[in-house]
Amino acid sequence: MTNTLHRYGESFDDDYIVFAIPARGINDGNAAEMERRFLEIARKYKPVNMGDASHGGIFRPAKDLNPSVHWSRQERRDFEGVVNSVSGPTTVAVVFDNPDAVVEFVKELKTADLGLSINISGGLDQARECARRAGLERHSVEYSLGFFGQTDRMADRQTLELSTMCGHGMLSFGLVRKLVEWVKQGRRTPEQAAGTMARFCSCGVFNPARACRLMRRQGEKERTPGGRKN
Amino acid sequence: MQIDQQKCVACGNCIPVCPMGAIAIDTGLNRAVVNTNECVECYACFRGMSMEKLNPTLVRGIRRLLKIFRLRFDPEPDVCPTSAIIPDELSWPRVVRRAFSDPIVTHESTGVHGRGTEEVKTNDVTHRVGLGEAGYVIEFGRPTVGVWFRDIEKMTRALAGIGIEFEPRNPVTHMMIDRKTGKLRDDILNEKILSAIVEFKTAVENVPVVLRRVDEVSKTLDTVVSVGVSTRCDVEGNSALDGILAEEGFSYVRGKTNLGLGHA
């Protein structure tokens, strides 16, 4: 699974995914318990999203809505549900929008000694700096070298920045374009649009804070006389 | 995936939701329909959309009335008002579409959710990629373009031609009938999926040759290829790939950093 490796964009200063994963057949015996602890520890540092690869993130679609949802949708962030739904070995991920929270979280993980492999997905320099501040040197590193082949078949920059935050491709270019347009038209706030996008990410790694920043940045560009439009 | 024609009210909410653009309104039927050739069974529509269970006749009546007065209702964009999206029962070979497209499905071959293996994410426990070695994840069809297995086979054959040994626990490797040549099963070549990952490793000094070959072959494929390469760092956290990638002209800012906290 490379669901966070190839996020597109120029800046990842507000985008850090810390995830825990057991090695199959080696240390996955009591992985579920350790993964729940990982998530419980993470909650103290105010993540903007978290989830597990089997059951989804804190933003979840509902299967029994009533029509009032179209006028007063309550955005429920179900942290408790994420923790409680971990029932077997899986990958659990937590998304932060600032490096200080990552550093403090990793320091506590060191002490907790869960035995699981812990990775930071994000800017390589920023991740290395976080590791060092937490008293660690990186063990292994994986580089995203970007996109090869028929790249003209991909979407525009802004759409890619948002849609690649679900690396499994569950967040379509079409829905991103529609929601960005609705934000421009004032039909939805960036927060509402980001919440809708996040519901399509089936493992909780979508970063709604970054999504809001990207949508606001676009709005500011378009309101600036002479500003460049993308 | 299919749309229940008795329930669908042609609201069109599911159209932009489909990563493959496989859903459209049939204006003759006034219902949404799925292009089964393009649908990759990713379940993004079925699982990602929220559902109401409204009476289709009532909803159609209200929509007709609003249309007469040219009034626009501004519904939530991710709601199917009548729960009209219905999964199909899939049989071989179509079932591979879901196995490679729906991230919730666990591959029987790997026991891991998603389309690849644990890569270097568990390298601190498995030691799969050692010092002086490079691991590769070559992903096809992403972001959100999709890929036919026949295109993946062009790459696996080309890589086999330069002596690559494919990762045995990878799902694509399990679809090969000859791992020496990279030949995939014939009965899946015309199946389209959201994405798939080919994995292998080499000595770090072979990284330039491999990446050049991947670049060459990618240009001949009708899809997008996302490339990741990994290695074990030394005790000071330095990576031998930094210099090699810079020399090859790759710029990189993003990746995964294994912190080495895992143990058996």
Side-chain angles (χ1 to χ4, degrees):
Chain A
M1 185 168 65
T2 61
N3 64 331
T4 62
L5 184 60
H6 299 297
R7 290 188 175 196
Y8 186 84
E10 292 163 2
S11 167
F12 299 100
D13 291 340
D14 56 359
D15 191 35
Y16 299 82
I17 303 113
V18 184
F19 59 88
I21 178 173
R24 189 186 180 210
I26 301 177
N27 64 352
D28 57 353
N30 62 343
E33 184 190 335
M34 294 298 122
E35 287 170 340
R36 282 193 294 271
R37 274 190 69 195
F38 172 88
L39 294 170
E40 288 286 10
I41 293 168
R43 285 185 68 180
K44 287 194 272 183
Y45 301 101
K46 300 190 181 349
V48 294
N49 199 356
M50 66 186 209
D52 87 82
S54 310
H55 300 94
I58 61 171
F59 300 85
R60 295 186 177 189
K63 298 301 175 190
D64 52 356
L65 295 175
N66 67 58
S68 67
V69 72
H70 299 290
W71 292 273
S72 59
R73 192 166 198 171
Q74 301 297 318
E75 191 64 81
R76 186 163 167 254
R77 300 185 178 203
D78 190 5
F79 287 95
E80 203 68 44
V82 170
V83 177
N84 293 337
S85 61
V86 176
S87 54
T90 183
T91 305
V92 287
V94 182
V95 185
F96 294 100
D97 63 357
N98 71 89
D100 295 336
V102 177
V103 171
E104 294 309 312
F105 178 41
V106 172
K107 279 182 186 171
E108 188 164 346
L109 288 176
K110 252 177 76 178
T111 309
D113 189 24
L114 304 177
L116 303 170
S117 297
I118 308 293
N119 292 248
I120 301 174
S121 183
L124 287 168
D125 292 340
Q126 291 98 322
R128 192 173 188 183
E129 179 62 20
C130 286
R132 283 183 166 161
R133 284 174 60 195
L136 296 166
E137 287 294 350
R138 56 189 187 174
H139 178 280
S140 303
V141 63
E142 182 169 32
Y143 303 72
S144 167
L145 301 184
F147 308 124
F148 294 47
Q150 309 303 318
T151 51
D152 55 346
R153 292 186 59 188
M154 301 193 312
D156 60 283
R157 192 186 75 181
Q158 188 191 26
T159 305
L160 280 176
E161 283 176 326
L162 291 162
S163 69
T164 56
M165 283 200 278
C166 172
H168 286 124
M170 296 292 102
L171 180 52
S172 72
F173 295 158
L175 183 64
V176 168
R177 288 189 186 114
K178 177 177 177 174
L179 289 167
V180 167
E181 202 56 40
W182 280 23
V183 169
K184 283 183 194 170
Q185 293 169 4
R187 293 166 68 181
R188 292 294 185 276
T189 64
E191 287 76 14
Q192 288 168 331
T196 302
M197 292 177 195
R199 282 194 285 274
F200 283 84
C201 169
S202 55
C203 49
V205 297
F206 184 87
N207 182 335
R210 179 170 183 251
C212 287
R213 175 177 66 79
L214 293 169
M215 285 187 274
R216 286 202 183 90
R217 183 194 67 184
Q218 182 67 13
E220 283 161 13
K221 271 185 185 171
E222 299 207 346
R223 281 193 299 275
T224 306
R228 182 168 62 89
K229 290 186 179 181
N230 294 310
Chain B
M1 197 62 65
Q2 58 175 303
I3 310 284
D4 185 330
Q5 300 295 292
Q6 304 299 316
K7 290 183 176 176
C8 178
V9 296
C11 69
N13 274 357
C14 54
I15 294 172
V17 161
C18 176
M20 291 293 102
I23 306 176
I25 300 291
D26 182 319
T27 51
L29 297 171
N30 196 30
R31 300 284 189 275
V33 290
V34 177
N35 178 340
T36 53
N37 196 38
E38 289 298 316
C39 172
V40 294
E41 309 291 355
C42 68
Y43 279 46
C45 54
F46 177 72
R47 191 177 40 247
M49 291 189 80
S50 295
M51 303 283 175
E52 294 171 288
K53 291 173 181 161
L54 304 181
N55 181 308
T57 307
L58 177 70
V59 177
R60 285 188 202 112
I62 293 170
R63 287 175 59 80
R64 225 173 280 133
L65 192 65
L66 290 172
K67 194 175 174 184
I68 290 168
F69 291 101
R70 294 204 169 186
L71 292 173
R72 185 179 69 181
F73 176 54
D74 195 17
E76 279 290 273
D78 60 330
V79 174
C80 176
T82 53
S83 299
I85 303 167
I86 311 287
D88 276 323
E89 282 206 15
L90 304 174
S91 56
W92 185 268
R94 191 170 176 89
V95 71
V96 298
R97 294 190 180 222
R98 187 170 181 213
F100 282 87
S101 303
D102 180 352
I104 297 294
V105 172
T106 302
H107 273 273
E108 289 177 13
S109 57
T110 60
V112 175
H113 292 286
R115 298 150 195 166
T117 65
E118 296 160 6
E119 305 158 19
V120 294
K121 291 181 296 218
T122 55
N123 206 37
D124 47 350
V125 177
T126 64
H127 310 293
R128 177 177 164 259
V129 179
L131 277 169
E133 292 182 323
Y136 303 79
V137 282
I138 313 295
E139 184 164 8
F140 305 85
R142 176 183 166 181
T144 321
V145 172
V147 61
W148 300 89
F149 271 106
R150 56 181 180 253
D151 272 325
I152 298 172
E153 190 190 59
K154 287 182 192 169
M155 182 68 85
T156 53
R157 281 176 171 269
L159 291 169
I162 56 171
I164 295 305
E165 284 184 33
F166 298 101
E167 163 64 43
R169 290 180 60 196
N170 173 280
V172 174
T173 309
H174 276 258
M175 294 294 142
M176 291 180 186
I177 52 176
D178 185 350
R179 295 182 186 185
K180 292 283 180 205
T181 63
K183 174 84 185 87
L184 300 181
R185 300 172 57 123
D186 286 325
D187 55 357
I188 64 166
L189 294 180
N190 287 324
E191 294 298 331
K192 186 178 186 182
I193 56 174
L194 198 54
S195 81
I197 300 173
V198 169
E199 291 172 88
F200 51 91
K201 64 178 187 177
T202 69
V204 284
E205 55 266 28
N206 293 337
V207 166
V209 173
V210 172
L211 292 181
R212 280 180 218 144
R213 190 73 184 122
V214 169
D215 187 26
E216 284 165 12
V217 179
S218 296
K219 290 179 176 129
T220 70
L221 308 181
D222 185 25
T223 190
V224 178
V225 180
S226 307
V227 179
V229 60
S230 60
T231 194
R232 167 84 159 92
C233 299
D234 67 18
V235 288
E236 291 172 336
N238 297 315
S239 158
L241 284 175
D242 280 344
I244 293 170
L245 295 174
E247 261 183 42
E248 286 296 302
F250 287 104
S251 60
Y252 48 83
V253 292
R254 186 174 180 84
K256 288 178 186 166
T257 300
N258 183 323
L259 299 178
L261 292 175
H263 55 77

